[in-house]
Short mmCIF file of all heavy atoms in Angstrom, two decimals:
data_model
loop_
_atom_site.label_atom_id
_atom_site.label_comp_id
_atom_site.label_asym_id
_atom_site.label_seq_id
_atom_site.Cartn_x
_atom_site.Cartn_y
_atom_site.Cartn_z
N GLN R 911 0.84 -1.20 0.00
CA GLN R 911 0.00 0.00 0.00
C GLN R 911 0.87 1.25 0.00
O GLN R 911 0.62 2.18 -0.75
CB GLN R 911 -0.92 0.00 1.22
CG GLN R 911 -1.92 -1.12 1.19
CD GLN R 911 -2.63 -1.25 2.52
OE1 GLN R 911 -2.33 -0.56 3.47
NE2 GLN R 911 -3.58 -2.16 2.57
N ALA R 912 1.88 1.27 0.85
CA ALA R 912 2.77 2.44 0.91
C ALA R 912 3.52 2.59 -0.39
O ALA R 912 3.72 3.71 -0.87
CB ALA R 912 3.72 2.28 2.08
N ALA R 913 3.92 1.47 -0.99
CA ALA R 913 4.64 1.54 -2.26
C ALA R 913 3.74 2.12 -3.34
O ALA R 913 4.19 2.91 -4.17
CB ALA R 913 5.12 0.14 -2.66
N GLY R 914 2.46 1.77 -3.34
CA GLY R 914 1.53 2.32 -4.32
C GLY R 914 1.41 3.83 -4.20
O GLY R 914 1.41 4.55 -5.19
N ALA R 915 1.33 4.32 -2.98
CA ALA R 915 1.25 5.76 -2.76
C ALA R 915 2.55 6.45 -3.15
O ALA R 915 2.54 7.54 -3.73
CB ALA R 915 0.90 6.06 -1.31
N ASN R 916 3.67 5.82 -2.84
CA ASN R 916 4.96 6.39 -3.22
C ASN R 916 5.10 6.47 -4.73
O ASN R 916 5.60 7.45 -5.26
CB ASN R 916 6.11 5.58 -2.63
CG ASN R 916 6.26 5.81 -1.13
OD1 ASN R 916 5.91 6.86 -0.62
ND2 ASN R 916 6.77 4.82 -0.44
N VAL R 917 4.65 5.42 -5.42
CA VAL R 917 4.69 5.43 -6.88
C VAL R 917 3.82 6.55 -7.42
O VAL R 917 4.22 7.29 -8.32
CB VAL R 917 4.22 4.06 -7.45
CG1 VAL R 917 3.94 4.14 -8.93
CG2 VAL R 917 5.24 2.99 -7.14
N ALA R 918 2.65 6.71 -6.84
CA ALA R 918 1.75 7.78 -7.28
C ALA R 918 2.39 9.14 -7.04
O ALA R 918 2.36 10.02 -7.92
CB ALA R 918 0.42 7.69 -6.54
N GLN R 919 2.98 9.34 -5.87
CA GLN R 919 3.61 10.62 -5.55
C GLN R 919 4.74 10.92 -6.52
O GLN R 919 4.86 12.03 -7.05
CB GLN R 919 4.11 10.65 -4.12
CG GLN R 919 4.74 11.98 -3.75
CD GLN R 919 5.18 12.03 -2.29
OE1 GLN R 919 5.13 11.05 -1.58
NE2 GLN R 919 5.59 13.21 -1.87
N GLN R 920 5.60 9.93 -6.76
CA GLN R 920 6.73 10.14 -7.66
C GLN R 920 6.25 10.45 -9.08
O GLN R 920 6.76 11.38 -9.72
CB GLN R 920 7.63 8.91 -7.67
CG GLN R 920 8.39 8.72 -6.39
CD GLN R 920 9.09 7.37 -6.33
OE1 GLN R 920 8.99 6.57 -7.25
NE2 GLN R 920 9.81 7.14 -5.24
N ALA R 921 5.27 9.72 -9.56
CA ALA R 921 4.77 9.94 -10.92
C ALA R 921 4.15 11.32 -11.06
O ALA R 921 4.38 12.03 -12.05
CB ALA R 921 3.75 8.86 -11.29
N ILE R 922 3.38 11.73 -10.08
CA ILE R 922 2.70 13.03 -10.13
C ILE R 922 3.73 14.16 -10.06
O ILE R 922 3.66 15.12 -10.83
CB ILE R 922 1.68 13.14 -8.99
CG1 ILE R 922 0.51 12.21 -9.27
CG2 ILE R 922 1.19 14.58 -8.82
CD1 ILE R 922 -0.38 11.95 -8.07
N GLU R 923 4.69 14.04 -9.17
CA GLU R 923 5.69 15.10 -9.03
C GLU R 923 6.61 15.17 -10.24
O GLU R 923 7.00 16.24 -10.67
CB GLU R 923 6.47 14.92 -7.73
CG GLU R 923 5.61 15.24 -6.52
CD GLU R 923 6.28 14.95 -5.19
OE1 GLU R 923 7.37 14.33 -5.18
OE2 GLU R 923 5.71 15.34 -4.16
N GLN R 924 6.96 14.01 -10.83
CA GLN R 924 7.79 14.01 -12.03
C GLN R 924 7.05 14.64 -13.20
O GLN R 924 7.65 15.26 -14.06
CB GLN R 924 8.18 12.58 -12.41
CG GLN R 924 9.26 12.01 -11.55
CD GLN R 924 9.56 10.57 -11.92
OE1 GLN R 924 8.90 9.98 -12.77
NE2 GLN R 924 10.56 10.00 -11.28
N ALA R 925 5.73 14.49 -13.22
CA ALA R 925 4.92 15.06 -14.31
C ALA R 925 4.65 16.54 -14.10
O ALA R 925 3.99 17.16 -14.92
CB ALA R 925 3.61 14.29 -14.43
N GLY R 926 5.10 17.09 -13.00
CA GLY R 926 4.92 18.52 -12.75
C GLY R 926 3.65 18.84 -11.98
O GLY R 926 3.24 19.98 -11.92
N GLY R 927 3.06 17.84 -11.37
CA GLY R 927 1.85 18.05 -10.58
C GLY R 927 2.18 18.23 -9.11
O GLY R 927 3.31 18.03 -8.67
N ARG R 928 1.18 18.63 -8.35
CA ARG R 928 1.34 18.82 -6.91
C ARG R 928 0.60 17.68 -6.22
O ARG R 928 -0.60 17.48 -6.41
CB ARG R 928 0.75 20.16 -6.50
CG ARG R 928 1.05 20.56 -5.08
CD ARG R 928 0.71 22.01 -4.83
NE ARG R 928 -0.58 22.40 -5.38
CZ ARG R 928 -1.68 22.62 -4.65
NH1 ARG R 928 -1.64 22.51 -3.35
NH2 ARG R 928 -2.80 22.97 -5.23
N PHE R 929 1.32 16.92 -5.41
CA PHE R 929 0.77 15.76 -4.73
C PHE R 929 0.18 16.16 -3.38
O PHE R 929 0.85 16.76 -2.55
CB PHE R 929 1.87 14.71 -4.51
CG PHE R 929 1.40 13.44 -3.87
CD1 PHE R 929 0.76 12.47 -4.61
CD2 PHE R 929 1.59 13.22 -2.51
CE1 PHE R 929 0.35 11.29 -4.03
CE2 PHE R 929 1.17 12.05 -1.92
CZ PHE R 929 0.54 11.08 -2.68
N LEU R 930 -1.12 15.85 -3.18
CA LEU R 930 -1.79 16.06 -1.90
C LEU R 930 -2.17 14.69 -1.37
O LEU R 930 -2.44 13.77 -2.15
CB LEU R 930 -3.05 16.90 -2.08
CG LEU R 930 -2.89 18.23 -2.80
CD1 LEU R 930 -4.25 18.85 -3.06
CD2 LEU R 930 -2.03 19.16 -1.98
N HIS R 931 -2.23 14.56 -0.06
CA HIS R 931 -2.56 13.25 0.50
C HIS R 931 -3.54 13.37 1.65
O HIS R 931 -3.50 14.32 2.43
CB HIS R 931 -1.29 12.55 1.00
CG HIS R 931 -1.59 11.25 1.66
ND1 HIS R 931 -1.59 11.11 3.03
CD2 HIS R 931 -1.96 10.06 1.17
CE1 HIS R 931 -1.93 9.86 3.33
NE2 HIS R 931 -2.17 9.21 2.22
N HIS R 932 -4.41 12.38 1.74
CA HIS R 932 -5.30 12.23 2.90
C HIS R 932 -5.42 10.74 3.19
O HIS R 932 -5.61 9.94 2.28
CB HIS R 932 -6.68 12.82 2.62
CG HIS R 932 -7.53 12.86 3.85
ND1 HIS R 932 -8.26 11.78 4.27
CD2 HIS R 932 -7.74 13.84 4.75
CE1 HIS R 932 -8.89 12.10 5.39
NE2 HIS R 932 -8.59 13.34 5.70
N ALA R 933 -5.28 10.36 4.46
CA ALA R 933 -5.28 8.95 4.83
C ALA R 933 -6.63 8.27 4.61
O ALA R 933 -6.70 7.06 4.40
CB ALA R 933 -4.85 8.78 6.28
N GLY R 934 -7.72 9.01 4.69
CA GLY R 934 -9.03 8.43 4.45
C GLY R 934 -9.58 7.65 5.62
O GLY R 934 -10.39 6.76 5.45
N GLY R 935 -9.14 8.01 6.85
CA GLY R 935 -9.61 7.30 8.03
C GLY R 935 -10.75 8.02 8.71
O GLY R 935 -11.26 9.03 8.24
N ASP R 936 -11.17 7.49 9.85
CA ASP R 936 -12.23 8.08 10.66
C ASP R 936 -11.62 8.69 11.91
O ASP R 936 -11.74 8.16 13.00
CB ASP R 936 -13.25 7.02 11.08
CG ASP R 936 -14.14 6.60 9.94
OD1 ASP R 936 -14.43 7.45 9.09
OD2 ASP R 936 -14.55 5.43 9.90
N ASP R 937 -10.95 9.82 11.77
CA ASP R 937 -10.27 10.44 12.90
C ASP R 937 -11.01 11.65 13.46
O ASP R 937 -10.43 12.49 14.10
CB ASP R 937 -8.85 10.84 12.51
CG ASP R 937 -8.01 9.63 12.12
OD1 ASP R 937 -8.31 8.53 12.61
OD2 ASP R 937 -7.08 9.79 11.33
N GLY R 938 -12.29 11.79 13.16
CA GLY R 938 -13.08 12.87 13.74
C GLY R 938 -13.34 14.02 12.78
O GLY R 938 -13.10 13.95 11.59
N ALA R 939 -13.84 15.12 13.36
CA ALA R 939 -14.27 16.28 12.57
C ALA R 939 -13.09 16.94 11.86
O ALA R 939 -13.25 17.43 10.73
CB ALA R 939 -14.98 17.28 13.47
N ASP R 940 -11.92 16.99 12.50
CA ASP R 940 -10.75 17.60 11.86
C ASP R 940 -10.38 16.83 10.59
O ASP R 940 -10.01 17.42 9.58
CB ASP R 940 -9.55 17.62 12.82
CG ASP R 940 -9.77 18.57 13.99
OD1 ASP R 940 -10.63 19.47 13.87
OD2 ASP R 940 -9.09 18.39 15.02
N ASP R 941 -10.49 15.51 10.66
CA ASP R 941 -10.16 14.67 9.52
C ASP R 941 -11.14 14.92 8.38
O ASP R 941 -10.74 15.01 7.22
CB ASP R 941 -10.19 13.21 9.95
CG ASP R 941 -9.57 12.31 8.91
OD1 ASP R 941 -8.43 12.57 8.50
OD2 ASP R 941 -10.25 11.34 8.49
N VAL R 942 -12.43 15.04 8.69
CA VAL R 942 -13.45 15.30 7.68
C VAL R 942 -13.21 16.66 7.03
O VAL R 942 -13.29 16.81 5.81
CB VAL R 942 -14.87 15.22 8.30
CG1 VAL R 942 -15.92 15.72 7.33
CG2 VAL R 942 -15.17 13.80 8.73
#
């Protein structure tokens, strides 16, 4: 799973994009 995200980050940044991330968990109102 971590490797998949790392691959995505590297591909996006190499292509000149800006990589944003969210874990997608249930950590409360701040997370939402």
Side-chain angles (χ1 to χ4, degrees):
Q911 295 169 356
N916 286 333
V917 167
Q919 181 177 7
Q920 289 171 359
I922 289 164
E923 289 174 351
Q924 284 177 355
R928 189 167 45 106
F929 182 80
L930 307 172
H931 177 257
H932 188 276
D936 286 327
D937 298 333
D940 292 339
D941 192 53
V942 170

